[in-house]
Amino acid sequence: MGQFLNNKEPYDKYRTVKNGPYFVDKSEILEELIPALQQEQRFFCITRPRRFGKTIMANMIAAFFENTEEESLFDDLYISRYKHYKEQAGRHDVIYIDFSEMPRGCRNYQEYILRIQDGLIRDIEEAYPELEIKSDAAVWDILSHVFDKTGDKFVFVMDEWDAVFHMSFITEQDRENFLLFLKLLLKGKSYVELAYMTGVLPIAKYSDGSELNMFLEYNMATRVRFSEYFGFSDEEVDVLYDRYLKNTKKPQITRESLREWYDGYHTASGERLYNPRSVVCALTDNQLSNYWVSSGKYDSVFTYIRYNVDQIQNDLTLMFAGEKIPSGIQEYAATAQELKTKEEIYSAMMKKEESLGYVYRLANASSQMLQATLAGDTETMAKIIQYAHNTEVPILSYNNETELSAIINLVYLAARDQYRVEREDKAGKGYVDFIFYPIRHDQDCMILELKVDHKPEEAIAQIKEKEYALRFKGKTAERKEYTGRILAVGISYNSKTKEHECKIEQL
């Protein structure tokens, strides 16, 4: 075992995942990789959003191919049915590189890349003591020498290939040197039996003669192949949810809430994908939370947003309000660090930050709005709605209930952490403007009805007349699903005085 050659870490890490209560078998991808061994099209680069299973998949692939004396982890998995399973599992020399790792106290690119090159050379010297290895030679020359003398080939598994582009000490010249390093290590080399590489950013391609144009690139949004192996499908989440119900004494999560919180993507073939880390964490903790947001660093995203706040601020507000905006979401090359157009920024953008100005302040005010509503503080509620209406970037004409609904969506943004919020939902004898279903069944339920140029008392009367509260009370003789209060909330806007009024009544 070496630092990079036949390292035991991928095996151990995948074993840990496999032993977990919410493990999902994704080994079917190996059926597509095995036939590529020693073929011309044997270079694969998988680019995915963060926390959609890239590293787990890399560990699995390395653990499958790697020569090891350990017991196979795959005898009970899908890939064990493959006709060439026995002759391929555990029969290859694997070079596994996690490009996000650095030497202690790393200050520059030279120190970073020397750790990889020197480590590989030491591993080869240990593995081939009978060969004369020139330790001052380039690692690709040494690997070519090994192939010439022994015929041995290597499976390369490389995780987070683009990590170097996010390191503070890396210069533009360093980036070019790194691409050249990968080219010299991999391109046209007979000792490469298979190369599997992952990252967030697509490979930078300057021309048809690109350094890394031997790689076939696959991403979730535009390519069908491999997309089903990253993220969890609806069927897989169904299975995990059944395990959760069996293994959890007091389940607090509904199947529908998993879909609302964590189904962030659709594949090019149209399949819904869930964020796997978020689903597993939620089921393990028995609690919904923003697990994906806590998994990465967002500073770079908001550096990009600062370039273009004026142009995108209104779009962000409309998105928070539940409206759609047109935009061309695109990939961007690893060397394109200056994102300045709206399309480039949306391609990199995530949730919230103070640099977004009043959108960020509205998000904070929304926490106060929920507290004021539950406390019956209608004066504070009206002030918060008025603030949202009178904000420094007025984007809505605000003359009818549609525009009022958009503002209400904004001021109750924080409520979505505790409620499933439905708009124009069928309830009782009609359709209610907003209905708030609590995630915890002992929380208060809320029904919101909006009125323009009418009093909030009329909104409350409509809630009663249309019997919207039946959505919370259940059928006759059935146990009540929700045990908290049912609050009728009437919100009105006077188009002449430009003022809001609120009224709350417990049903």
Side-chain angles (χ1 to χ4, degrees):
M1 184 197 79
Q3 183 179 2
F4 300 105
L5 177 58
N6 294 330
N7 188 311
K8 287 186 178 180
E9 282 202 9
Y11 177 94
D12 185 68
K13 289 176 179 177
Y14 186 64
R15 178 173 58 186
T16 300
V17 171
K18 185 174 182 283
N19 291 338
Y22 299 112
F23 168 73
V24 174
D25 181 2
K26 296 284 188 177
S27 64
E28 189 175 356
I29 192 177
L30 292 162
E31 278 192 351
E32 300 198 45
L33 297 179
I34 291 172
L37 290 166
Q38 303 188 47
Q39 300 298 311
E40 183 178 1
Q41 301 294 347
R42 63 188 186 279
F43 297 87
F44 301 91
C45 181
I46 310 295
T47 57
R48 288 292 185 274
R50 296 184 188 279
R51 300 300 184 184
F52 265 76
K54 300 186 310 297
T55 295
I56 292 174
M57 190 67 72
N59 287 333
M60 183 197 76
I61 292 167
F64 175 82
F65 284 115
E66 185 175 271
N67 274 317
T68 180
E69 297 178 358
E70 301 283 351
E71 181 182 0
S72 175
L73 298 174
F74 298 88
D75 288 345
D76 59 343
L77 299 186
Y78 181 92
I79 190 59
S80 63
R81 310 172 199 168
Y82 184 57
K83 60 181 179 180
H84 300 300
Y85 168 67
K86 290 292 186 181
E87 64 191 73
Q88 297 297 340
R91 301 297 181 89
H92 301 262
D93 290 314
V94 173
I95 292 176
Y96 182 93
I97 305 174
D98 180 350
F99 283 111
S100 68
E101 295 183 350
M102 296 186 293
R104 183 176 64 183
C106 185
R107 295 162 295 180
N108 54 57
Y109 174 74
Q110 190 67 14
E111 294 177 354
Y112 167 82
I113 205 67
L114 280 176
R115 170 185 175 271
I116 297 173
Q117 294 190 76
D118 292 347
L120 279 170
I121 293 171
R122 284 194 303 270
D123 290 350
I124 296 167
E125 288 175 332
E126 289 183 17
Y128 297 91
E130 72 281 7
L131 297 182
E132 182 180 350
I133 304 296
K134 296 180 180 180
S135 59
D136 59 344
V139 65
W140 41 86
D141 290 335
I142 294 174
L143 287 169
S144 293
H145 175 65
V146 169
F147 173 73
D148 289 340
K149 296 298 183 181
T150 67
D152 289 354
K153 297 189 176 189
F154 303 87
V155 172
F156 284 78
V157 180
M158 295 163 289
D159 194 25
E160 298 200 46
W161 84 273
D162 55 336
V164 66
F165 297 101
H166 306 295
M167 296 175 184
S168 59
F169 52 77
I170 297 298
T171 67
E172 188 62 35
Q173 184 60 54
D174 293 335
R175 295 185 182 109
E176 293 180 12
N177 291 339
F178 179 69
L179 292 173
L180 181 60
F181 166 77
L182 290 178
K183 173 189 175 182
L184 294 172
L185 180 65
L186 301 170
K187 190 170 185 177
K189 298 297 190 285
S190 295
Y191 58 73
V192 178
E193 191 173 21
L194 178 78
Y196 178 90
M197 192 162 73
T198 76
V200 175
L201 301 180
I203 297 172
K205 291 185 175 176
Y206 301 107
S207 67
D208 290 339
S210 167
E211 287 90 339
L212 303 179
N213 67 343
M214 69 285 198
F215 275 95
L216 298 172
E217 293 187 55
Y218 298 90
N219 66 72
M220 182 181 300
T222 62
R223 301 296 298 273
V224 173
R225 190 182 184 189
F226 296 130
S227 60
E228 70 268 31
Y229 305 124
F230 296 87
F232 289 163
S233 67
D234 257 325
E235 292 77 12
E236 288 166 340
V237 174
D238 286 341
V239 172
L240 297 184
Y241 188 70
D242 286 342
R243 287 186 210 165
Y244 161 77
L245 293 178
K246 294 176 182 177
N247 298 336
T248 307
K249 291 183 179 180
K250 296 181 179 180
Q252 299 294 321
I253 299 173
T254 66
R255 178 63 182 86
E256 180 61 29
S257 63
L258 287 177
R259 179 176 293 109
E260 291 172 359
W261 276 66
Y262 304 129
D263 66 333
Y265 292 87
H266 284 77
T267 67
S269 60
E271 185 175 16
R272 185 198 308 268
L273 286 184
Y274 292 72
N275 183 291
R277 179 181 187 272
S278 296
V279 170
V280 170
C281 287
L283 297 181
T284 301
D285 292 349
N286 195 23
Q287 180 179 0
L288 298 169
S289 186
N290 296 319
Y291 298 103
W292 187 85
V293 173
S294 65
S295 69
K297 185 178 179 182
Y298 292 87
D299 294 349
S300 58
V301 172
F302 299 108
T303 298
Y304 304 144
I305 290 175
R306 282 202 303 271
Y307 290 134
N308 208 266
V309 171
D310 290 341
Q311 291 188 37
I312 69 172
Q313 194 176 65
N314 289 352
D315 286 352
L316 289 173
T317 306
L318 288 170
M319 285 191 288
F320 283 149
E323 307 300 328
K324 296 180 179 180
I325 63 165
S327 180
I329 303 301
Q330 59 188 240
E331 297 184 49
Y332 48 93
T335 55
Q337 296 298 298
E338 300 296 311
L339 308 183
K340 295 184 178 180
T341 69
K342 287 208 306 183
E343 285 71 23
E344 288 172 334
I345 290 169
Y346 288 144
S347 299
M349 189 182 66
M350 301 301 170
K351 191 176 179 183
K352 65 180 181 180
E353 172 64 20
E354 290 190 58
S355 62
L356 299 184
Y358 95 106
V359 176
Y360 178 79
R361 295 195 295 276
L362 280 175
N364 282 339
S366 70
S367 295
Q368 301 174 31
M369 185 68 177
L370 177 60
Q371 295 172 12
T373 304
L374 295 175
D377 186 354
T378 55
E379 183 178 347
T380 297
M381 291 170 60
K383 287 180 180 179
I384 293 174
I385 299 173
Q386 200 72 37
Y387 164 72
H389 177 213
N390 297 334
T391 185
E392 64 266 29
V393 185
I395 63 171
L396 300 169
S397 57
Y398 209 70
N399 291 320
N400 56 49
E401 287 185 13
T402 300
E403 283 78 18
L404 178 57
S405 293
I407 291 296
I408 296 304
N409 243 331
L410 283 172
V411 297
Y412 281 103
L413 185 65
R416 295 176 184 272
D417 288 340
Q418 301 179 42
Y419 290 87
R420 174 168 62 89
V421 182
E422 296 291 346
R423 188 171 171 179
E424 296 294 336
D425 196 27
K426 179 71 172 68
K429 301 175 183 177
Y431 291 85
V432 62
D433 285 335
F434 287 91
I435 189 163
F436 289 62
Y437 297 94
I439 292 174
R440 287 178 44 191
H441 292 181
D442 59 345
Q443 289 178 296
D444 293 336
C445 309
M446 298 194 299
I447 302 169
L448 269 68
E449 191 65 29
L450 312 179
K451 295 292 181 184
V452 172
D453 293 329
H454 293 275
K455 302 295 289 182
E457 286 81 3
E458 296 178 62
I460 298 289
Q462 179 175 326
I463 292 172
K464 294 178 178 179
E465 178 187 352
K466 299 290 187 180
E467 298 182 322
Y468 294 148
L470 290 176
R471 292 292 281 167
F472 298 119
K473 293 183 177 179
K475 297 179 182 179
T476 305
E478 281 188 345
R479 181 183 176 184
K480 287 181 60 177
E481 184 177 0
Y482 300 98
T483 59
R485 298 178 300 168
I486 301 177
L487 302 180
V489 181
I491 298 176
S492 69
Y493 172 68
N494 189 313
S495 60
K496 293 181 179 179
T497 64
K498 311 296 184 185
E499 292 182 351
H500 300 79
E501 285 187 80
C502 302
K503 182 177 176 60
I504 299 176
E505 187 173 321
Q506 182 175 341
L507 302 179

